[in-house]
Coordinates of all heavy atoms in Angstrom, one line a residue:
M1 N -5.9 84.0 115.9 CA -5.0 83.1 116.6 C -5.2 81.7 116.0 O -6.4 81.3 115.9 CB -5.3 83.2 118.1 CG -4.4 82.4 118.9 SD -4.6 82.6 120.7 CE -4.3 84.3 121.0
T2 N -4.2 81.0 115.8 CA -4.3 79.6 115.3 C -4.8 78.6 116.3 O -4.6 78.9 117.5 CB -3.0 79.1 114.7 OG1 -2.1 78.9 115.8 CG2 -2.4 80.1 113.7
P3 N -5.4 77.5 115.9 CA -5.8 76.5 116.8 C -4.6 76.0 117.7 O -4.8 75.7 118.8 CB -6.4 75.4 115.9 CG -6.8 76.1 114.7 CD -5.8 77.2 114.5
L4 N -3.5 75.9 117.1 CA -2.3 75.5 117.9 C -2.0 76.4 119.0 O -1.8 76.0 120.1 CB -1.1 75.3 116.9 CG 0.2 74.9 117.6 CD1 0.2 73.5 118.0 CD2 1.4 75.2 116.7
C5 N -2.0 77.7 118.7 CA -1.7 78.7 119.7 C -2.8 78.7 120.8 O -2.5 78.8 122.0 CB -1.7 80.1 119.1 SG -0.2 80.4 118.1
I6 N -4.0 78.5 120.4 CA -5.1 78.5 121.4 C -5.0 77.3 122.3 O -5.1 77.4 123.5 CB -6.5 78.4 120.6 CG1 -6.8 79.7 119.9 CG2 -7.6 78.1 121.6 CD1 -7.9 79.7 119.0
C7 N -4.6 76.1 121.7 CA -4.4 74.9 122.5 C -3.3 75.1 123.5 O -3.4 74.8 124.7 CB -4.1 73.7 121.6 SG -4.0 72.1 122.4
V8 N -2.2 75.6 123.1 CA -1.0 75.8 123.9 C -1.4 76.8 125.0 O -1.1 76.6 126.2 CB 0.2 76.3 123.2 CG1 1.3 76.7 124.1 CG2 0.7 75.2 122.2
R9 N -2.1 77.9 124.7 CA -2.5 78.9 125.7 C -3.4 78.2 126.7 O -3.3 78.5 127.9 CB -3.2 80.0 125.0 CG -3.6 81.1 126.0 CD -4.3 82.2 125.3 NE -3.2 83.0 124.7 CZ -3.4 84.2 124.2 NH1 -4.5 84.7 124.2 NH2 -2.4 84.8 123.7
E10 N -4.3 77.4 126.3 CA -5.2 76.7 127.3 C -4.5 75.7 128.2 O -4.8 75.6 129.3 CB -6.4 76.1 126.5 CG -7.4 77.1 125.9 CD -8.5 76.5 125.2 OE1 -8.8 75.3 125.4 OE2 -9.1 77.2 124.4
I11 N -3.5 75.0 127.6 CA -2.7 74.1 128.4 C -1.9 74.9 129.4 O -1.7 74.5 130.5 CB -1.9 73.2 127.5 CG1 -2.8 72.2 126.8 CG2 -0.8 72.5 128.3 CD1 -2.1 71.3 125.8
D12 N -1.3 76.0 129.0 CA -0.6 76.9 129.9 C -1.5 77.3 131.0 O -1.0 77.3 132.2 CB 0.0 78.1 129.2 CG 1.2 77.9 128.4 OD1 1.9 76.9 128.6 OD2 1.6 78.7 127.5
A13 N -2.7 77.7 130.7 CA -3.6 78.2 131.8 C -3.9 77.0 132.7 O -4.0 77.2 133.9 CB -4.9 78.7 131.1
A14 N -4.1 75.8 132.1 CA -4.4 74.6 133.0 C -3.3 74.3 133.9 O -3.5 73.7 134.9 CB -4.8 73.4 132.1
S15 N -2.1 74.6 133.5 CA -0.9 74.3 134.4 C -0.9 75.0 135.7 O -0.3 74.6 136.6 CB 0.4 74.6 133.6 OG 0.6 76.0 133.5
E16 N -1.7 76.1 135.8 CA -1.8 76.9 137.0 C -3.0 76.4 137.9 O -3.1 76.9 139.0 CB -2.0 78.4 136.6 CG -0.8 78.9 135.8 CD 0.5 78.8 136.5 OE1 0.6 79.0 137.7 OE2 1.5 78.6 135.8
I17 N -3.8 75.6 137.4 CA -5.0 75.1 138.1 C -4.6 74.0 139.1 O -3.8 73.1 138.7 CB -6.1 74.6 137.1 CG1 -6.5 75.7 136.2 CG2 -7.3 74.0 137.9 CD1 -7.5 75.3 135.1
T18 N -5.2 74.0 140.2 CA -4.8 73.0 141.3 C -6.0 72.1 141.6 O -5.9 71.4 142.6 CB -4.3 73.7 142.5 OG1 -5.3 74.6 143.0 CG2 -3.0 74.4 142.2
D19 N -7.0 72.1 140.8 CA -8.2 71.2 141.2 C -8.4 70.2 140.1 O -7.5 70.0 139.2 CB -9.4 72.1 141.4 CG -9.9 72.8 140.2 OD1 -9.5 72.5 139.1 OD2 -10.7 73.8 140.3
T20 N -9.4 69.5 140.2 CA -9.7 68.3 139.3 C -10.1 68.7 137.9 O -10.3 67.8 137.1 CB -10.7 67.3 139.9 OG1 -11.9 68.1 140.2 CG2 -10.2 66.8 141.2
T21 N -10.3 69.9 137.6 CA -10.8 70.3 136.3 C -9.7 70.3 135.2 O -9.9 70.6 134.1 CB -11.5 71.7 136.3 OG1 -10.5 72.7 136.7 CG2 -12.7 71.7 137.2
V22 N -8.4 70.1 135.7 CA -7.3 70.2 134.8 C -7.4 69.2 133.6 O -7.3 69.6 132.5 CB -6.0 69.9 135.5 CG1 -4.8 69.7 134.6 CG2 -5.7 70.9 136.6
V23 N -7.8 68.0 133.9 CA -7.9 67.0 132.8 C -8.9 67.4 131.8 O -8.7 67.3 130.6 CB -8.2 65.6 133.4 CG1 -8.4 64.6 132.3 CG2 -7.0 65.2 134.3
S24 N -10.1 67.8 132.3 CA -11.2 68.2 131.3 C -10.8 69.4 130.5 O -11.1 69.5 129.3 CB -12.5 68.5 132.1 OG -12.4 69.5 133.0
K25 N -10.0 70.4 131.1 CA -9.6 71.6 130.3 C -8.6 71.2 129.3 O -8.6 71.7 128.2 CB -9.1 72.6 131.3 CG -10.2 73.3 132.1 CD -9.6 74.4 133.0 CE -10.6 75.0 133.9 NZ -11.7 75.7 133.2
V26 N -7.6 70.3 129.6 CA -6.6 69.9 128.7 C -7.3 69.1 127.6 O -7.0 69.3 126.4 CB -5.5 69.0 129.4 CG1 -4.6 68.3 128.4 CG2 -4.7 69.9 130.3
D27 N -8.2 68.2 127.9 CA -8.9 67.4 126.9 C -9.7 68.3 126.0 O -9.7 68.1 124.7 CB -9.9 66.4 127.5 CG -9.2 65.1 128.0 OD1 -8.2 64.8 127.4 OD2 -9.8 64.4 128.9
A28 N -10.4 69.3 126.5 CA -11.1 70.2 125.6 C -10.2 71.0 124.7 O -10.6 71.2 123.5 CB -11.9 71.2 126.5
A29 N -9.1 71.4 125.1 CA -8.1 72.1 124.3 C -7.6 71.2 123.2 O -7.5 71.6 122.0 CB -6.9 72.7 125.1
I30 N -7.3 70.0 123.5 CA -6.8 69.0 122.5 C -7.9 68.6 121.5 O -7.6 68.5 120.3 CB -6.1 67.8 123.2 CG1 -4.9 68.2 124.0 CG2 -5.8 66.7 122.2 CD1 -4.3 67.2 124.9
D31 N -9.1 68.5 122.0 CA -10.2 68.1 121.2 C -10.4 69.2 120.1 O -10.7 69.0 118.9 CB -11.5 67.9 122.0 CG -11.5 66.6 122.8 OD1 -10.7 65.7 122.5 OD2 -12.4 66.6 123.7
A32 N -10.4 70.5 120.6 CA -10.6 71.6 119.6 C -9.4 71.6 118.6 O -9.7 71.9 117.4 CB -10.6 72.9 120.4
L33 N -8.2 71.4 119.0 CA -7.1 71.3 118.1 C -7.3 70.2 117.1 O -7.1 70.4 115.9 CB -5.8 71.1 118.8 CG -4.5 71.0 118.0 CD1 -4.2 72.3 117.2 CD2 -3.4 70.5 118.8
E34 N -7.6 69.0 117.5 CA -7.8 67.9 116.6 C -9.0 68.2 115.6 O -8.9 67.8 114.5 CB -8.1 66.6 117.4 CG -6.9 66.0 118.0 CD -7.1 64.7 118.7 OE1 -8.2 64.1 118.5 OE2 -6.3 64.3 119.5
A35 N -10.0 68.9 116.1 CA -11.1 69.2 115.2 C -10.8 70.1 114.1 O -11.4 70.1 113.0 CB -12.3 69.8 116.0
S36 N -9.7 70.9 114.3 CA -9.3 71.8 113.3 C -8.4 71.2 112.2 O -8.1 71.8 111.2 CB -8.5 73.0 113.9 OG -7.3 72.6 114.4
C37 N -8.0 69.9 112.5 CA -7.1 69.2 111.5 C -8.0 68.3 110.7 O -8.9 67.7 111.2 CB -6.1 68.4 112.3 SG -5.0 69.4 113.3
S38 N -7.6 68.2 109.4 CA -8.5 67.4 108.5 C -8.0 66.0 108.3 O -8.7 65.1 107.9 CB -8.6 68.1 107.1 OG -7.3 68.3 106.6
T39 N -6.7 65.7 108.6 CA -6.2 64.3 108.4 C -5.5 63.8 109.6 O -5.1 64.6 110.5 CB -5.2 64.3 107.2 OG1 -4.0 65.0 107.6 CG2 -5.7 64.8 105.9
P40 N -5.4 62.5 109.8 CA -4.7 62.0 111.0 C -3.2 62.5 111.0 O -2.8 62.8 112.1 CB -4.7 60.5 110.7 CG -6.0 60.2 109.9 CD -6.0 61.4 109.0
T41 N -2.6 62.6 109.9 CA -1.2 63.1 109.9 C -1.1 64.5 110.5 O -0.2 64.8 111.3 CB -0.6 63.0 108.5 OG1 -0.7 61.7 108.0 CG2 0.8 63.5 108.5
E42 N -2.0 65.3 110.1 CA -2.1 66.7 110.6 C -2.3 66.7 112.1 O -1.7 67.5 112.8 CB -3.2 67.5 109.9 CG -2.9 68.0 108.5 CD -4.0 68.8 107.9 OE1 -4.9 69.2 108.6 OE2 -3.9 69.0 106.7
R43 N -3.2 65.9 112.6 CA -3.5 65.8 114.0 C -2.2 65.4 114.8 O -1.9 66.0 115.8 CB -4.6 64.8 114.3 CG -5.9 65.3 113.8 CD -7.0 64.3 114.2 NE -8.2 64.6 113.5 CZ -8.7 64.0 112.5 NH1 -8.1 62.9 112.0 NH2 -9.8 64.4 111.8
I44 N -1.5 64.4 114.3 CA -0.3 63.9 115.0 C 0.8 65.0 115.0 O 1.4 65.3 116.0 CB 0.2 62.6 114.3 CG1 -0.7 61.5 114.6 CG2 1.6 62.3 114.8 CD1 -0.4 60.2 113.8
L45 N 1.0 65.7 113.9 CA 1.9 66.7 113.8 C 1.6 67.9 114.7 O 2.4 68.5 115.3 CB 2.1 67.2 112.4 CG 2.8 66.2 111.4 CD1 2.8 66.7 110.0 CD2 4.2 65.9 111.9
A46 N 0.3 68.2 114.7 CA -0.2 69.3 115.6 C 0.0 69.0 117.1 O 0.5 69.9 117.8 CB -1.7 69.6 115.3
L47 N -0.2 67.8 117.5 CA 0.0 67.4 118.8 C 1.5 67.4 119.2 O 1.9 67.9 120.3 CB -0.5 66.0 119.1 CG -2.0 65.8 119.1 CD1 -2.4 64.4 119.1 CD2 -2.7 66.6 120.1
E48 N 2.4 67.1 118.2 CA 3.8 67.2 118.5 C 4.2 68.7 118.6 O 5.0 69.0 119.5 CB 4.6 66.6 117.3 CG 4.6 65.1 117.3 CD 5.3 64.4 116.1 OE1 6.0 65.2 115.4 OE2 5.1 63.2 115.9
R49 N 3.6 69.5 117.8 CA 3.9 71.0 117.9 C 3.5 71.5 119.2 O 4.1 72.4 119.8 CB 3.3 71.7 116.7 CG 4.1 71.6 115.5 CD 3.6 72.5 114.4 NE 3.4 71.7 113.2 CZ 2.3 71.4 112.5 NH1 1.2 71.9 113.0 NH2 2.3 70.7 111.5
V50 N 2.3 71.1 119.7 CA 1.8 71.5 121.0 C 2.8 71.2 122.1 O 3.2 72.1 122.9 CB 0.4 70.9 121.3 CG1 0.1 71.1 122.8 CG2 -0.7 71.5 120.5
Y51 N 3.3 70.0 122.1 CA 4.2 69.6 123.2 C 5.5 70.4 123.0 O 6.1 70.9 124.0 CB 4.5 68.1 123.2 CG 5.4 67.8 124.4 CD1 5.0 67.9 125.7 CD2 6.8 67.5 124.2 CE1 5.8 67.7 126.7 CE2 7.6 67.3 125.2 CZ 7.1 67.4 126.5 OH 8.0 67.2 127.6
G52 N 6.0 70.5 121.8 CA 7.3 71.3 121.6 C 7.1 72.7 122.0 O 8.0 73.2 122.7
T53 N 6.0 73.3 121.7 CA 5.8 74.7 122.1 C 5.6 74.8 123.6 O 6.2 75.7 124.2 CB 4.5 75.3 121.4 OG1 4.7 75.1 120.0 CG2 4.3 76.7 121.7
F54 N 4.9 73.9 124.2 CA 4.7 73.9 125.6 C 6.0 73.8 126.4 O 6.3 74.5 127.3 CB 3.7 72.8 126.1 CG 3.6 72.6 127.5 CD1 2.9 73.5 128.3 CD2 4.3 71.6 128.2 CE1 2.9 73.3 129.7 CE2 4.3 71.4 129.5 CZ 3.5 72.3 130.3
S55 N 6.8 72.8 125.9 CA 8.1 72.5 126.6 C 9.1 73.7 126.5 O 9.9 73.9 127.4 CB 8.7 71.2 126.2 OG 9.0 71.2 124.9
R56 N 9.0 74.4 125.3 CA 9.9 75.5 125.2 C 9.4 76.7 126.0 O 10.2 77.4 126.6 CB 9.9 76.0 123.7 CG 10.9 75.2 122.9 CD 11.1 75.9 121.5 NE 9.9 76.2 120.8 CZ 9.2 75.3 120.1 NH1 9.6 74.1 120.0 NH2 8.2 75.7 119.4
R57 N 8.1 76.9 126.1 CA 7.6 78.1 126.8 C 7.6 77.9 128.3 O 7.7 78.8 129.1 CB 6.1 78.4 126.4 CG 6.1 78.9 125.0 CD 4.7 79.0 124.5 NE 4.0 80.2 125.1 CZ 2.8 80.5 124.9 NH1 2.0 79.8 124.1 NH2 2.3 81.6 125.4
R58 N 7.5 76.6 128.7 CA 7.4 76.3 130.2 C 8.5 75.3 130.5 O 8.2 74.2 131.0 CB 6.0 75.7 130.5 CG 4.9 76.6 130.3 CD 4.8 77.7 131.3 NE 3.7 78.5 131.2 CZ 3.1 79.0 132.2 NH1 3.5 78.8 133.4 NH2 2.0 79.7 132.0
R59 N 9.7 75.6 130.3 CA 10.8 74.7 130.5 C 10.8 74.2 132.0 O 11.2 73.1 132.2 CB 12.1 75.4 130.2 CG 12.3 75.5 128.7 CD 13.7 75.9 128.3 NE 13.7 76.0 126.9 CZ 14.5 76.6 126.2 NH1 15.5 77.2 126.8 NH2 14.4 76.7 124.9
S60 N 10.5 75.1 132.9 CA 10.5 74.7 134.3 C 9.4 73.6 134.6 O 9.6 72.8 135.5 CB 10.3 75.9 135.2 OG 9.0 76.4 135.0
K61 N 8.4 73.6 133.8 CA 7.3 72.7 134.1 C 7.3 71.4 133.2 O 6.6 70.5 133.4 CB 5.9 73.3 133.9 CG 5.7 74.4 134.9 CD 4.3 74.8 134.9 CE 4.1 75.9 136.0 NZ 2.7 76.2 136.3
A62 N 8.2 71.4 132.2 CA 8.3 70.3 131.2 C 8.6 69.0 131.9 O 8.1 67.9 131.5 CB 9.3 70.6 130.1
Q63 N 9.5 69.0 132.9 CA 9.9 67.8 133.6 C 9.2 67.7 135.0 O 9.4 66.7 135.7 CB 11.4 67.8 133.8 CG 12.2 67.7 132.5 CD 11.7 66.5 131.7 OE1 11.6 65.3 132.2 NE2 11.5 66.7 130.4
A64 N 8.3 68.6 135.3 CA 7.5 68.5 136.5 C 6.3 67.6 136.2 O 6.1 67.2 135.1 CB 7.0 69.9 136.9
P65 N 5.6 67.2 137.3 CA 4.5 66.3 137.1 C 3.5 66.8 136.0 O 3.0 66.0 135.2 CB 3.8 66.3 138.5 CG 5.0 66.5 139.4 CD 5.8 67.5 138.7
F66 N 3.2 68.1 136.0 CA 2.2 68.5 134.9 C 2.8 68.3 133.5 O 2.1 67.9 132.6 CB 1.9 70.0 135.1 CG 0.8 70.5 134.2 CD1 -0.5 70.2 134.3 CD2 1.2 71.2 133.0 CE1 -1.5 70.6 133.4 CE2 0.2 71.7 132.1 CZ -1.1 71.3 132.3
G67 N 4.1 68.7 133.3 CA 4.7 68.5 132.0 C 4.7 67.0 131.6 O 4.5 66.7 130.5
L68 N 5.0 66.1 132.6 CA 5.0 64.7 132.3 C 3.6 64.2 132.0 O 3.4 63.4 131.1 CB 5.6 63.9 133.5 CG 7.0 64.2 133.8 CD1 7.5 63.5 135.0 CD2 7.9 63.9 132.6
F69 N 2.6 64.8 132.7 CA 1.2 64.5 132.4 C 0.8 64.9 130.9 O 0.2 64.1 130.2 CB 0.3 65.2 133.4 CG -1.2 65.3 132.9 CD1 -2.0 64.2 132.8 CD2 -1.6 66.5 132.5 CE1 -3.3 64.3 132.4 CE2 -3.0 66.7 132.0 CZ -3.8 65.5 132.0
I70 N 1.2 66.1 130.5 CA 1.0 66.6 129.2 C 1.6 65.7 128.1 O 1.0 65.3 127.1 CB 1.4 68.0 129.0 CG1 0.5 68.9 129.9 CG2 1.3 68.5 127.6 CD1 -1.0 68.9 129.5
A71 N 2.9 65.3 128.4 CA 3.6 64.5 127.4 C 2.9 63.1 127.3 O 2.7 62.6 126.2 CB 5.1 64.3 127.9
K72 N 2.5 62.5 128.4 CA 1.9 61.2 128.3 C 0.5 61.3 127.7 O 0.1 60.5 126.9 CB 1.7 60.7 129.8 CG 1.1 59.3 129.8 CD 1.9 58.3 129.2 CE 1.2 56.9 129.4 NZ 1.9 55.9 128.7
H73 N -0.2 62.4 128.0 CA -1.6 62.6 127.5 C -1.5 62.8 125.9 O -2.3 62.2 125.2 CB -2.2 63.8 128.1 CG -3.7 63.8 128.1 ND1 -4.4 62.9 128.8 CD2 -4.6 64.6 127.5 CE1 -5.7 63.1 128.6 NE2 -5.8 64.2 127.8
L74 N -0.5 63.6 125.5 CA -0.4 63.8 124.0 C 0.1 62.5 123.3 O -0.4 62.2 122.2 CB 0.6 64.9 123.8 CG 0.1 66.3 124.2 CD1 1.2 67.3 124.0 CD2 -1.1 66.7 123.4
D75 N 0.9 61.7 124.0 CA 1.4 60.4 123.4 C 0.2 59.5 123.3 O 0.1 58.8 122.2 CB 2.5 59.9 124.3 CG 3.2 58.7 123.7 OD1 3.5 58.8 122.5 OD2 3.3 57.6 124.4
V76 N -0.6 59.4 124.3 CA -1.8 58.5 124.2 C -2.7 59.0 123.0 O -3.2 58.1 122.3 CB -2.6 58.5 125.5 CG1 -3.9 57.9 125.4 CG2 -1.8 57.8 126.6
R77 N -2.9 60.3 122.9 CA -3.7 60.8 121.8 C -3.1 60.4 120.4 O -3.8 60.0 119.5 CB -3.9 62.3 121.9 CG -4.8 62.8 123.0 CD -6.2 62.5 122.7 NE -7.1 63.2 123.6 CZ -7.9 64.1 123.3 NH1 -8.1 64.5 122.1 NH2 -8.7 64.7 124.2
Q78 N -1.8 60.6 120.3 CA -1.2 60.2 119.0 C -1.3 58.7 118.8 O -1.6 58.3 117.6 CB 0.3 60.6 119.1 CG 0.5 62.1 119.0 CD 2.0 62.5 119.1 OE1 2.7 61.9 119.8 NE2 2.4 63.5 118.4
N79 N -1.1 57.9 119.8 CA -1.2 56.5 119.6 C -2.7 56.1 119.2 O -2.9 55.2 118.3 CB -0.8 55.7 120.8 CG 0.7 55.7 121.1 OD1 1.4 55.9 120.1 ND2 1.1 55.6 122.3
R80 N -3.6 56.7 119.7 CA -5.0 56.5 119.4 C -5.3 56.9 117.9 O -6.0 56.1 117.2 CB -6.0 57.3 120.3 CG -7.4 56.9 120.1 CD -8.3 57.7 121.0 NE -7.9 57.8 122.4 CZ -8.2 58.8 123.2 NH1 -8.9 59.8 122.8 NH2 -7.7 58.8 124.5
I81 N -4.7 58.0 117.5 CA -4.9 58.4 116.1 C -4.3 57.4 115.1 O -4.8 57.0 114.1 CB -4.3 59.8 115.9 CG1 -5.1 60.8 116.7 CG2 -4.3 60.2 114.4 CD1 -4.5 62.2 116.8
M82 N -3.1 57.0 115.5 CA -2.3 56.0 114.6 C -3.1 54.7 114.5 O -3.1 54.1 113.5 CB -0.9 55.8 115.2 CG 0.0 57.0 114.9 SD 1.7 56.7 115.2 CE 1.7 56.7 117.0
T83 N -3.7 54.2 115.6 CA -4.4 52.9 115.5 C -5.7 53.0 114.8 O -6.1 52.0 114.2 CB -4.6 52.3 116.9 OG1 -5.4 53.3 117.7 CG2 -3.3 52.0 117.7
R84 N -6.3 54.2 114.7 CA -7.5 54.4 114.0 C -7.3 54.6 112.5 O -8.2 54.4 111.7 CB -8.3 55.5 114.5 CG -8.9 55.2 115.9 CD -9.7 56.4 116.3 NE -10.2 56.2 117.7 CZ -10.8 57.1 118.4 NH1 -10.9 58.3 118.0 NH2 -11.2 56.8 119.6
A85 N -6.1 55.1 112.2 CA -5.8 55.5 110.7 C -5.5 54.2 109.9 O -5.3 53.2 110.2 CB -4.6 56.4 110.7

């Protein structure tokens, strides 16, 4: 299974959690995905693919609070990568 698929699967699983561990689980999934990428460009593209895959697989949640959280979280990560590059 690719790092992208693993990340999306973990984010899907986190979408069902109702306690405070959601953020740490999402961060862990994204950290693992970023670690599998060798360049900043690959990281940014992988994060875009994660959101695209998540929003296609979970259309009902893409505009819900969790989906908006994921979109914002991935956007912050991409911005951080771009400022460091």
